Amino acid sequence: STGSRSESDRGRRVAANPFTDSQTTGLTEWTSWFNIDHPGGNGDYERLEAIRFYYRERVCARPTAMEVRTTEWVAAKDTGEVVHSSLDKGFWCINKEQPLGRICSNYYVRFQCPPVQSYWSDWSEWGHCSATTCDDVGIQVRQRKCVSTQPMPLLLVPACQGHHSERRECSSPPCTAKWSPWGRWGVCSATCGGGRRIRRRTCVRTSVTVQCKGRSQEVQKCGKSPCPVKCQYVCPEGHPSEDCSHCMCDGHVLHGEVHSVSGVPVDGATVSLTDQPKVVRARTDSKGQFRILGFCSSSSMMVVIKKEKFVPATVSPLSNNILFFFLLLHTAKPHIVKHPEDKVRYEGGRVQFCCKAVGSPVPDKYYWYHNGTLLDRKVYKYEEDLVLRDLKPEQSGDYYCKANSPAGNIKSTPASLTVIPKGQPSCNSTPEMHLIRLPLDCVQPGTNSKYYNAGRCPHNKCAGSLDFDTRCGDDARFCCGVQSMESQTIDCGSYSLPIKAVTVCGCQKCVQPTVLVRGRVVTADTGEPLRFGHIYIGKERVGTTGFQGSFTLQVPPDTQRLVVNFVDPSQLFLDTPKVFILDKKTGSIYHDVKVMRKQKPIDIDAGQTNTIDLGEIEGEDPIGQLVIPPNSFHKDSGEIYEGTVKASVTFIDPRNITTAAAAPGDLNFVDDEGDMLPLRTYGMFSVDFRDEANKEILGAGGVQVLLDTQHVKMEEHVPQMKLWSLNPDTGVWEEEGDFSYTKTTTGGRSKREERTFLIGNMEIRERRLFNLDVPENRRCFVKVRAYMSDKFLPSEQLEGVVISLINLEPKPGYSSNPRAWGRFDSVLTGPNGACLPAFCDALRPDAYTAYVTAMMGGEELEAAPSTPKMNPNIIGVSQPYLDKIDYQRSDHDDSALKKTAFRINLPKPNQNNFDETNGPIYAYRNMIDCESAPVDANHFRFFRVEKDKYEYNVVPFEERRLPLLVAKSPGIDLTTWTGDYLSWWPNPQEFRACFIKVKIHGQKEEVMVRSRNLGGTHRETKGKLYGIRDIRSTRDMREANASAACVEFKCSGMLFDQAEVDRSLISVLPQGNCRRVGTNNLLHEYLIKHPPVIPNNESHAFTMLAPVDPLGHNYGIYTVTDQNPRVAKEIAIGRCFDGTSDGFSREMKSDTGVALTFSCPERKISRESLFQRLQTNPGQTLSQMARDMRESRGLQMQRSSTQVVVYPSEQQSSTQTRRISSTTRRRMSTRAQLRQ
């Protein structure tokens, strides 16, 4: 365009004729490149004024030339865009001026500046004002120097132009006169009956010419209380006290002793009497003893004993002069043991919600809320239970309770109430559209569709018929499910597929899944399994880990927060409480649990002061210290322990990121309102003190915790630091105490220096896990989704994936090099992804960063790539927010690293910036927006690295469901399960996955392997299709020309009616030119010993009646049973890849645990193709083609009729064939007439 040419010409003229200053000589120099704007909005503006604002010293005052290039390094003149430039203003490009609706490129600019040889230094500060008195006028002076950059003779150096000094007029402050603060009040002239007291102040002035306004003294009345009269209190024994409040008996002493329930003396407890509970009469000493002087034996007074973190107690002493004992209970914050449950009712019905909390003292008040609004107790007359009658549709919503006790508050999880209006069915009988993907070789005649509508029922609960509708939990739950199906046939051209489609939906009892928590417990450092460890839920032992550290726990279906304690009987590993967050409707979850290795005990003297460092990083100073005073160890009986103590203190150091997953609990606390809020840790430690024989566990009192403030990189966290202990029953951290400042001289690793410490006090009793934490209010949520493949299709989202987020603290000055982790969270993906809590900052985008991983059934999922170029469409986050987040996959800088994690900055979204209101980071108060975000909103992505696979079931069942706008549905949709003889999964309470390992040898490329699964021995299913499974083999990176496939097949066993076993008939067919060359001997022997035996006469396939027994890797068969079909498959596939019955791998090992071996050699080319002949000898090939065509035409003329062969793969109809034949006949008759 004209604008583009004129501006570029001007730039060339400026560059060719540099501006010359009279003070400069020599060649000019170019600045660095600048890019301060992006082409979003109106365009790209690289204004000189803005560049100088951000880079003050890097651009000269009068540039002589300018060069402009795009970020793709294309000169501005070559882009064809309309641009503008000026050496005074800079460079700019406006979007609306561009042709054809284009937008401006992103440009870099740099400037050419003359080097300066003689220049002025900066002006000095202004000197003092010469005025000597207030309100006077004087002179101020400042100076500068002329500096030369080259060592030239003085006379040859160009002199600086201008003055070396400046003067200006100044004035002194005006004369003032102010009163000083008031002094203290003097002594009152009378103690009672009325008196006076005086206070004074002085006038402070800068000149005798001014005076203060007001009085220099004040007089105030005092001693207004009436003078005392004689006490009228009548005492049956002794005399009234001085304040006339109670009776005193001289010479009488009440002795007492207070202990905790564990037998430890309680020090510092206050003792008062019931008539004056606020007047402290005594305090317990270090032995828990106290005494009250003058206590009359005939008094009916009760003694009140109080101590922080203990339940207050009131006791009646037997008599004076007798020592009595009393035990104090530790306070325990309330926690919910019974949460309200979801309910569905018709309009006009009734409903009851129940809530129960325990604690010490027991919660005595309950409050109920509807959609966050407190319900009036007088109207609804509730206590622990809430009953609603004559329900209206507007009463639908979320209900939760809050329990209150003197120790604190706690809120329950919300329960959903759905009220269905009168006349509206709770379940639509007409099925929704549900498309089933067909096999790749299934082409329906007359259509190119690869899908078939099998129908499905809506995913919602409904109101069924209840025997009694005011129970805490309904005796039955009703869901909208399949009421009837019909058999249909899909025409695939060369073959047909049977399918059962949904015809009618209805309200029926829900199938309740059995919830399992599976996993493996290993150490955080080496991955060593916790073998035969004890598993506790509360005080009850519920299981034991296996030899490989594996475990399985069954929990009630409505459990949302499960606290599990893993205990090592050998005491090599720390006792680790873990909190598992569950979707209350999910069938199964798999967790990798990390535990810390316990520090070896050291011997310390109980009679001396002992200091133990808190820090595990070699070569680094410890984060803090434990200081244990002498004679502070005691036994459970309260007896002081003297002698050698075996002390083991294990510190979970946040500077070591590998320890993040081993953090006990879930780093949450309950605030005063009962809400669960997050903590940010600066280190956790576990203590284990035992006697010299290493048998009895010891407690310790008066222990000091020192925290070195140099490790607290965020200064605002220092005054908020607190000491916390973990409640092993609830998994919640509870406050132990605050910190105070102290300074001490320490001997560091290099020199002695004075440091500032935070010091806190604690008592080590039943709890042994402690935390140095800050309640952080800069909170956000991060949206993450998991997919079946890197195609990121909304219909292929995965549920039950464990997403873990580690909050990182950046090292000062290096935002890409995290210093320490501060928090660890894990959340399960639902039908609409997962929202992970995280810390964020509104001012500094890199103040907090995060490291995110995903795991499903022990498999690490792969994150969206960030190299070689950041692609917003792949990562799932749009620009320019993506640049601010600074997304980097773990292999961003080193391609050799794993691809299973990503790191991001966590800037708090700016609600005034539209680009930051659509995710993937949401403000903490916008949690609902995060959970209900549509699939096209910004989010981060993980995907399974999975080979091509296909699954077809004759009776459709949704193992994973299409995403919904609101994440309110179950993780496994059991409403889509139908009790049918041809159901792939015959039992919805138990999903059994079976796989066979097939090795492929002789192919450089992977091979598709299919299993065709028919009924085998059951009279209702014999010869009928259950389903088809296709899977592409995975290459073995250790063996050339070898791959293997883990092929799913239909397990043998009872069908849905549990009446008779069906041994499924399985056919395994590799694609292409394959020949079976080997069968596992043990599998072959098993099939022979368990007739009937299916003959295997075809070498290109393998057929068998599937074994009923759960065979193992020695047979090449892998069977796993679980309450979630996806988890069962993932575990079985992991074992199949590894070739073991208890291992797990995602690297194919084709030489172990194989059932079948096929040889699939590549086909050799026997002759050249037409394309190859055209390349090698085009002339001869074209001549031969012409001869062939002439011979073919002559042959057609000799035939009386044309014969056409139609191949099955062709889609043309016979009509087109006849049209070709008639045309050929017309051409033949025309040629015959011409010859005649």
Side-chain angles (χ1 to χ4, degrees), residues 29 41 47 71 108 112 212 460 471 666 812 867 968 1136 1148:
E29 296 179 353
R47 307 304 291 263
T71 55
Y108 283 102
Q112 196 173 38
C212 296
N460 62 276
R471 287 195 178 107
D666 58 357
T867 53
K968 289 280 187 181
C1136 178
M1148 178 60 74

Side-chain angles (χ1 to χ4, degrees), residues 909-929:
N910 181 359
Q911 299 304 312
N912 297 321
N913 187 340
F914 178 77
D915 294 329
E916 300 181 13
T917 59
N918 195 33
I921 301 175
Y922 295 83
Y924 199 75
R925 65 178 180 273
N926 297 336
M927 180 182 68
I928 296 178
D929 294 340

